[in-house]
Amino acid sequence: MGKDYYKTLDVPRSATDDDIKRAYKKMALKWHPDRNQGSEEASRKFKEISEAFEVLSDKNKRTVYDQLGEEGLKGGGVPPGGGPTGPTGFGGFPGATSFSFTTGPSGTSTRGFAPSDPQRIFEEIFPGGFPAFGSFGGMGGMGGGRTPMSSMFDDAAGGSFFGAMPGGMPHRTSAQQRATSAPAPQALEITRPLKLSLEDLYSGSTKHLKVNRKFLDGSTEEKVLEIQVLPGWKSGTKIRFPRAGNEQPNGESQDLAFVVEEKPHPVFTRDGDDLVCHLKIPLVDALTGSDTKKVVELLDGRKLQAPFPLGIVKPGQETRVAGEGMPIRKQASPKNKGDLVIRWDVQFPDRLTPSQKEGIRRILT
């Protein structure tokens, strides 16, 4: 009987293109493997959703499927009562592997539809990464302010971008990219650092990166890429713009990818989801205590009064303030933020007089 693509996307057979696209977006975000800790069931559902969308979003594939079902589509059939006896090409989903149906004089098919890479389809619908609604739904707001548009990496990598890394426009079709059942050659991926401050990673921000794209005919195109920095991103987070780079001799375009790098901060260091800062405490206060409170200015500008620990403070002793660390992006986490960890640096005197030494000996022995 074959797969029911309409049922997979939970849409009626009369669904419009917009209905199908909305259904795909909703279900793809729900079942994406990255959101489901690599669950095998989620991976299977994600593939099924992508295959259904690829077929139903393409008029020609949908026509063949409606009349012949999954078997006819994948078997290379043509709609009953129609179609020439020569090759009949059907354009694939943009950027995905295209396919063709070929029938001989007897009408027997030689090739059929093969599903494309579901991740590439996902990236076509959500270019540049997950949409800016806190990554996956319900994972926190964008927050933060907008930074001025910079020449590529003036803000991100400390300099202007390089000529070989253009980008920003969707993939452009060329004559060489005709329908075929074989996967298209993999485009090269160019990766560059996206240097962000802890404030950016704490509150979120918007970065604008200006790039120039080169085409095989010698023309160039300037494009501004927008990256929504989401609260809680970590070093190593990759933002990909599929086929947004230079056009290559094989007709494909390079992928542009930016990998987050955390800039050093004068006060805080990041330890997973926790923020660590060091506060100095005089030796006399470490031994005898103090009613004075240290003030720590947090990444969002708030002032936090940090009390001294009770009792004698040892060098490197920690005070943990719950919920004042970095935002946590994992939905399964029981808390929204990590902790602020204060490490106390006990300040020892550089020298003591003989009488001071003798006094300390009497007190401590």
Side-chain angles (χ1 to χ4, degrees):
M1 182 174 180
K3 298 176 181 176
D4 187 339
Y5 292 139
Y6 294 97
K7 184 176 180 180
T8 299
L9 291 181
D10 195 23
V11 295
R13 287 187 168 269
S14 59
T16 64
D17 291 345
D18 288 341
D19 294 334
I20 291 167
K21 190 171 185 178
R22 279 194 296 269
Y24 169 79
K25 285 183 174 182
K26 178 180 177 181
M27 300 187 76
L29 289 171
K30 177 181 179 181
W31 291 104
H32 195 287
D34 287 353
R35 188 182 181 183
N36 292 274
Q37 290 79 46
S39 163
E40 290 186 3
E41 180 187 5
S43 297
R44 176 181 58 79
K45 290 281 291 184
F46 184 66
K47 290 178 182 178
E48 292 174 355
I49 293 162
S50 298
E51 180 178 336
F53 175 68
E54 184 177 8
V55 172
L56 299 184
S57 64
D58 182 278
K59 181 179 179 180
N60 291 317
K61 296 191 192 79
R62 185 175 179 178
T63 299
V64 175
Y65 170 74
D66 285 345
Q67 298 187 31
L68 301 178
E70 180 197 8
E71 293 90 346
L73 179 72
K74 293 183 176 179
V78 294
T85 59
T88 305
F90 293 82
F93 181 83
T97 303
S98 56
F99 68 101
S100 65
F101 296 113
T102 305
T103 57
S106 64
T108 57
S109 62
T110 59
R111 278 194 234 171
F113 163 71
S116 303
D117 179 2
Q119 181 61 27
R120 291 184 71 86
I121 293 177
F122 185 87
E123 290 170 353
E124 288 288 340
I125 299 301
F126 299 110
F130 298 122
F133 49 78
S135 195
F136 288 115
M139 294 179 70
M142 234 295 297
R146 300 178 71 91
T147 59
M149 184 179 74
S150 59
S151 180
M152 185 61 151
F153 290 117
D154 283 351
D155 175 66
S160 61
F161 199 41
F162 52 96
M165 185 172 178
M169 289 297 292
H171 175 62
R172 199 173 66 168
T173 304
S174 67
Q176 292 101 342
Q177 292 174 296
R178 57 186 180 275
T180 173
S181 60
Q186 185 72 30
L188 295 176
E189 178 181 276
I190 296 182
T191 303
R192 284 296 180 270
L194 177 64
K195 295 187 177 182
L196 300 172
S197 68
L198 264 181
E199 286 83 358
D200 289 330
L201 298 172
Y202 181 86
S203 299
S205 64
T206 300
K207 298 295 181 182
H208 291 107
L209 307 175
K210 185 165 62 177
V211 296
N212 292 312
R213 183 184 186 189
K214 293 181 180 179
F215 297 105
L216 293 177
D217 60 7
S219 62
T220 61
E221 184 174 52
E222 186 177 274
K223 183 70 176 181
V224 176
L225 303 180
E226 181 177 281
I227 296 179
Q228 302 286 354
V229 180
L230 301 180
W233 271 5
K234 297 181 179 180
S235 291
T237 298
K238 179 181 282 190
I239 308 96
R240 181 184 291 111
F241 292 85
R243 293 175 298 284
N246 287 342
E247 191 174 23
Q248 299 299 290
N250 62 2
E252 286 286 335
S253 295
Q254 296 166 317
D255 291 349
L256 304 185
F258 305 95
V259 179
V260 171
E261 288 187 5
E262 181 186 304
K263 294 180 181 178
H265 194 274
V267 176
F268 299 101
T269 56
R270 186 173 184 173
D271 183 8
D273 295 315
D274 294 335
L275 286 173
V276 179
C277 72
H278 291 257
L279 294 181
K280 295 179 180 180
I281 177 173
L283 177 60
V284 63
D285 290 339
L287 294 173
T288 63
S290 174
D291 294 331
T292 305
K293 293 184 178 181
K294 292 283 190 177
V295 177
V296 180
E297 183 173 347
L298 303 177
L299 292 173
D300 58 4
R302 290 181 295 121
K303 301 291 195 300
L304 176 72
Q305 290 188 335
F308 285 120
L310 297 176
I312 295 175
V313 181
K314 299 177 177 62
Q317 185 171 329
E318 295 181 354
T319 298
R320 185 172 288 267
V321 183
E324 292 294 352
M326 295 294 292
I328 298 176
R329 299 205 56 76
K330 293 181 181 179
Q331 282 192 322
S333 175
K335 55 184 182 178
N336 296 324
K337 287 185 178 181
D339 298 337
L340 172 64
V341 179
I342 301 172
R343 291 180 181 159
W344 298 97
D345 294 337
V346 179
Q347 294 180 295
F348 287 82
D350 294 328
R351 63 184 64 84
L352 293 173
T353 65
S355 61
Q356 287 173 326
K357 292 178 182 179
E358 184 61 31
I360 291 174
R361 286 194 184 95
R362 285 198 304 269
I363 294 170
L364 298 179
T365 55

